[in-house]
Amino acid sequence: DTGVSQDPRHKITKRGQNVTFRCDPISEHNRLYWYRQTLGQGPEFLTYFQNEAQLEKSRLLSDRFSAERPKGSFSTLEIQRTEQGDSAMYLCASSLEPGTGGEKLFFGSGTQLSVL
Amino acid sequence: DQQVKQNSPSLSVQEGRISILNCDYTNSMFDYFLWYKKYPAEGPTFLISISSIKDKNEDGRFTVFLNKSAKHLSLHIVPSQPGDSAVYFCAASVWGNQFYFGTGTSLTVIP
């Protein structure tokens, strides 16, 4: 069990650029979540997948954000035309399915995005 | 719409004493509650959880209490140690679908 892995750990970009983050979940976990966290706040839900299917997406999520999990393993989160308000820690988490031990999330170390 | 609330942004406790962190929620459908611990520049780490069918769960120095009628849970750490200094997040879910987090309480344990 190597844990949840996120890449990169840090990303600095200029406003208007596109960025993409990658998450590798724990191998046997079929659920994968993306959260965003800003200073002084708790993790805010963005979207989650069960296998390759995106089951839910936050209605607060701008159309500039898109996430994929094409083969039900790793996932990518892309932000297009970044804005300074996108600066945050982007957290990925994975879990088993509910009822099979999926009652808790295992988080990666996050990607810290800074938009200049 | 903050469904999980932690009203104390910070807490300071002497080493060896009890730390009590509180959390309130509004959604009566929540059936699973969790506490996470977070150090700077790291992701949250699972600490302890409780199902809505229980009112107490204990794991070593950590105990979580759930009061469903008051929609309130608390985390007790006894005895508190300097290594416990971190930000603690309360979270809740409905059958493991979409987890909602509070804003966190920063705990400082003073040696």
Side-chain angles (χ1 to χ4, degrees):
Chain A
D1 178 1
T2 57
V4 178
S5 177
Q6 291 189 246
D7 183 68
R9 289 294 306 274
H10 305 275
K11 179 71 177 178
I12 300 174
T13 190
K14 291 183 179 179
R15 189 173 46 150
Q17 298 293 307
N18 298 344
V19 294
T20 300
F21 310 139
R22 177 181 169 119
C23 172
D24 288 89
I26 293 172
S27 57
E28 63 267 28
H29 287 183
N30 53 5
R31 286 207 167 179
L32 186 148
Y33 297 76
W34 284 100
Y35 282 82
R36 173 174 63 192
Q37 184 178 17
T38 53
L39 202 61
Q41 300 297 314
E44 175 192 20
F45 170 77
L46 296 179
T47 187
Y48 83 98
F49 294 82
Q50 180 157 312
N51 300 314
E52 65 275 8
Q54 188 172 20
L55 295 189
E56 191 169 347
K57 185 175 176 180
S58 170
R59 60 180 180 272
L60 301 176
L61 202 60
S62 159
D63 288 343
R64 297 184 295 105
F65 287 70
S66 62
E68 292 184 343
R69 195 182 182 198
K71 296 181 180 178
S73 56
F74 74 91
S75 174
T76 57
L77 176 68
E78 181 183 19
I79 309 174
Q80 296 183 327
R81 305 181 302 282
T82 53
E83 301 172 357
Q84 288 184 326
D86 297 332
S87 296
M89 170 79 84
Y90 290 83
L91 294 163
C92 176
S94 69
S95 74
L96 294 167
E97 215 170 316
T100 63
E103 293 80 13
K104 59 178 178 271
L105 302 179
F106 293 82
F107 282 90
S109 297
T111 294
Q112 182 65 53
L113 173 66
S114 298
V115 182
L116 305 178
Chain B
D1 179 19
Q2 192 75 22
Q3 298 189 55
V4 178
K5 299 177 184 178
Q6 293 176 258
N7 293 318
S8 298
S10 62
L11 175 68
S12 291
V13 171
Q14 288 284 346
E15 180 179 4
R17 305 295 290 268
I18 183 171
S19 295
I20 300 176
L21 293 88
N22 294 303
C23 178
D24 297 294
Y25 62 95
T26 57
N27 188 344
S28 57
M29 297 297 291
F30 286 144
D31 58 1
Y32 206 77
F33 304 88
L34 312 92
W35 284 95
Y36 282 81
K37 178 178 178 180
K38 186 180 184 301
Y39 293 115
E42 294 184 11
T45 302
F46 171 76
L47 194 58
I48 192 169
S49 61
I50 188 167
S51 163
S52 61
I53 62 173
K54 296 184 176 181
D55 54 20
K56 176 182 174 181
N57 188 28
E58 197 170 348
D59 183 3
R61 296 185 298 113
F62 303 92
T63 303
V64 56
F65 295 92
L66 175 63
N67 182 336
K68 289 192 294 293
S69 61
K71 294 191 177 67
H72 177 84
L73 66 155
S74 61
L75 174 68
H76 292 209
I77 307 173
V78 182
S80 301
Q81 300 174 353
D84 296 329
S85 297
V87 178
Y88 290 79
F89 291 100
C90 169
S93 77
V94 178
W95 206 60
N97 293 310
Q98 196 186 126
F99 294 72
Y100 296 86
F101 286 80
T103 53
T105 296
S106 178
L107 173 65
T108 301
V109 180
I110 303 163

